[in-house]
Amino acid sequence: MMKQYTTEQINQAVKGTLDGSPTIMITGVEQISEATTNQLTFIGEKKYIKLWDQSLASAAIVNNILDVEPGKNRALFRVADADLAMALVLQLFEPEPPKCEPGIHPTAVVDPTANIGEGAAIGAGCYVGSRVVIGKNTKLYPNVTVLDDSSIGSETIIWSGTVIRERCRIGNCCIIHPNVTIGADGFGFRPSPDGRGLVKIPQIGTVIIGDRVEIGAGSCIDRGKFSATSIGDGTKIDNLIQIAHNCKIGRSCVMAGQSGLAGSVTLGDGVMIGGGARVKDHVTIGDRAKLGGNAGVISDVAPGKTLLGFPADDYRQTLRLWAAQKQLPDLIKQMKKK
């Protein structure tokens, strides 16, 4: 059944100021250039105001600071933060997730020593090893592997293809997207004494993941060489991210796609890392620091700093350097003339 709400109902959800009719029926959400009648869009920046005049959308969420009018037979929801308000609306229209019914699917393999909590769902083709603990109402979608002595908290969702290796611990209310690997061996090798090969360094540690952590598809979190690789409560990790052995990630950090941490990196609380950024081993990033996309960090970063470039430096210094580099071709031409 299609979900639909009046503009008044949506305004109550976002706690905004409704400018326009309270009775317009909204049946979906779409970006401003693609929206049609009875759909809702949002205007978070000034540059999108001009698109509102051509848009077929019946309503829009708009930041309070923007000067825009609803127009005939349309409505605006004026809010302090359009992005956060849109998140609330998307929850209203979110489709039901794929079914993963409580209980153990007949094709799943669950070791008799495993402890499965009340209301937990173990989907088709899953494997749950010896002495594994799975909390209440946790969902394992089809083809998830959880190896011996690992534990998963309550209300956690683990999507298909994920592998959780032995002795790892995952907290409550986490979301782990498809094909994540938690607890693979850290990358540890040394030249052999005869110089003809490499000696593998055993990785005997584990991985500890806090509560409300989200890990994107295809990401890898390696176990510690000793002790544990750890991820703090509320941290959000995008797709295709590498976190190497013995890293310590604080609370409420954000890592964008294809970024990576080498071994024994420490992130403070609230650190933000842009897409493709890399951090050298044994580096410490202070609380609330920010690393721009593709930054290459080779030394410690103080709390609250913003870095860009490679090697990463204070963003103001990097921007000056980039501006100067653009002038080099003209300078070279002038030098040749002389």
Side-chain angles (χ1 to χ4, degrees):
M1 181 178 177
M2 181 176 66
K3 296 183 178 182
Q4 54 184 7
Y5 303 91
T6 65
T7 44
E8 177 60 29
Q9 289 173 318
I10 292 175
N11 191 59
Q12 291 176 3
V14 301
K15 296 180 173 60
T17 300
L18 178 61
D19 185 357
S21 171
T23 60
I24 299 172
M25 194 62 67
I26 301 299
T27 59
V29 184
E30 186 54 89
Q31 62 187 29
I32 194 166
S33 59
E34 303 295 331
T36 60
T37 304
N38 296 116
Q39 287 188 321
L40 169 71
T41 190
F42 80 111
I43 306 171
E45 298 180 37
K46 184 177 180 180
K47 65 181 180 180
Y48 294 111
I49 293 176
K50 61 183 179 181
L51 298 178
W52 174 242
D53 292 334
Q54 293 96 39
S55 178
L56 298 177
S58 293
I61 293 171
V62 58
N63 278 334
N64 281 331
I65 61 173
L66 298 179
D67 184 13
V68 56
E69 297 300 323
K72 187 178 180 180
N73 299 323
R74 299 204 289 181
L76 294 177
F77 309 97
R78 301 188 187 275
V79 296
D81 189 315
D83 287 322
L84 293 178
M86 180 55 76
L88 295 173
V89 172
L90 289 171
Q91 289 176 14
L92 294 177
F93 287 98
E94 186 174 15
E96 291 297 318
K99 287 186 178 181
C100 191
E101 301 292 346
I104 300 172
H105 192 276
T107 63
V109 176
V110 178
D111 191 275
T113 62
N115 185 345
I116 310 299
E118 180 182 356
I122 312 297
C126 289
Y127 176 83
V128 178
S130 301
R131 299 172 298 281
V132 167
V133 177
I134 295 178
K136 293 182 180 180
N137 300 319
T138 282
K139 291 183 179 181
L140 272 58
Y141 277 90
N143 300 314
V144 169
T145 297
V146 186
L147 295 180
D148 302 1
D149 298 301
S150 289
S151 65
I152 303 170
S154 300
E155 307 286 346
T156 285
I157 298 173
I158 302 180
W159 289 92
S160 298
T162 291
V163 175
I164 301 168
R165 278 191 47 182
E166 66 277 11
R167 296 179 283 107
C168 294
R169 286 164 42 195
I170 297 170
N172 304 310
C173 302
C174 295
I175 301 174
I176 300 177
H177 290 278
N179 299 316
V180 169
T181 300
I182 296 173
D185 286 358
F187 191 66
F189 299 91
R190 292 294 180 271
S192 60
D194 62 8
R196 295 184 177 182
L198 297 171
V199 176
K200 181 177 175 65
I201 307 298
Q203 309 289 302
I204 65 172
T206 185
V207 175
I208 299 175
I209 296 174
D211 298 336
R212 304 179 306 283
V213 172
E214 186 160 351
I215 302 174
S219 293
C220 298
I221 303 171
D222 291 347
R223 67 177 56 248
K225 180 165 61 177
F226 31 73
S227 185
T229 302
S230 63
I231 298 176
D233 295 346
T235 285
K236 311 301 180 184
I237 295 170
D238 198 358
N239 300 336
L240 299 174
I241 284 177
Q242 163 67 17
I243 298 174
H245 58 184
N246 292 103
C247 287
K248 308 293 182 186
I249 298 178
R251 296 171 297 176
S252 300
C253 295
V254 176
M255 294 183 65
Q258 297 185 331
S259 56
L261 307 179
S264 300
V265 167
T266 298
L267 302 187
D269 296 339
V271 172
M272 301 181 71
I273 298 180
R278 294 87 67 201
V279 182
K280 180 182 177 291
D281 58 304
H282 297 276
V283 163
T284 296
I285 311 294
D287 294 349
R288 300 177 304 284
K290 298 178 182 179
L291 308 181
N294 292 316
V297 180
I298 60 175
S299 59
D300 292 352
V301 178
K305 291 290 187 179
T306 299
L307 273 62
L308 295 174
F310 183 88
D313 200 350
D314 181 87
Y315 76 100
R316 290 162 294 196
Q317 176 63 22
T318 301
L319 290 174
R320 285 195 292 266
L321 177 62
W322 289 346
Q325 287 175 339
K326 289 183 178 180
Q327 299 176 33
L328 285 177
D330 290 336
L331 290 173
I332 290 171
K333 287 181 181 179
Q334 293 175 22
M335 293 295 294
K336 286 182 176 179
K337 290 179 180 179
K338 293 182 180 180

